[in-house]
Amino acid sequence: MSKYMVDKFIRAVELSDAAVAAYVADPAGVVDAWLAGAGGPTGPTDDRELTPAERDAFAARDFEALYALGAHPYLLWHFTEAVYEHEYTPDSGWRELVERYRTAVAPQGIVDYIP
């Protein structure tokens, strides 16, 4: 498991509105581009690696799986807000996202997120 790489990808996407928009439009494409060293604001590196489960969780925008895989809870919450912000409507907004997130991650308990 590469918790550091999970957190690194979260940060790379969350730090840029353009990266968030690209990720929302094509999660799997952004993950693959980042893994190839072409994605994110920090430029190419050769240490980008995710397990198949981590890659699949990002591609599916599955915050429950990412939490279970050890994503840092603080980073994951802000990533989730950024990624789902475009879905807010007057009838379904931030509070509903909070409840979806809590419901999804609560069964996981407190994860060991120390890399």
Side-chain angles (χ1 to χ4, degrees):
M1 186 178 309
S2 53
K3 294 176 189 176
Y4 173 73
M5 285 296 131
V6 168
D7 293 342
K8 189 172 179 176
F9 178 79
I10 287 172
R11 251 342 239 164
V13 171
E14 187 203 0
L15 284 177
S16 162
D17 290 341
V20 170
Y23 178 76
V24 168
D26 181 14
V30 171
V31 172
D32 291 340
W34 185 82
L35 288 170
T42 58
T45 66
D46 59 3
D47 66 342
R48 294 175 185 192
E49 185 177 339
L50 295 173
T51 66
E54 292 162 348
R55 188 226 170 264
D56 292 347
F58 278 119
R61 294 174 39 192
D62 185 347
F63 51 78
E64 178 181 6
L66 291 166
Y67 186 86
L69 289 165
H72 190 284
Y74 178 81
L75 295 176
L76 181 59
W77 168 245
H78 288 284
F79 174 79
T80 301
E81 276 187 306
V83 167
Y84 285 93
E85 183 176 28
H86 71 283
E87 296 180 5
Y88 296 174
T89 67
D91 297 325
S92 175
W94 184 80
R95 290 265 178 228
E96 287 76 16
L97 178 60
V98 169
E99 288 309 314
R100 279 180 24 210
Y101 184 86
R102 283 182 184 162
T103 300
V105 303
Q108 305 302 325
I110 298 174
V111 298
D112 174 15
Y113 57 84
I114 299 173

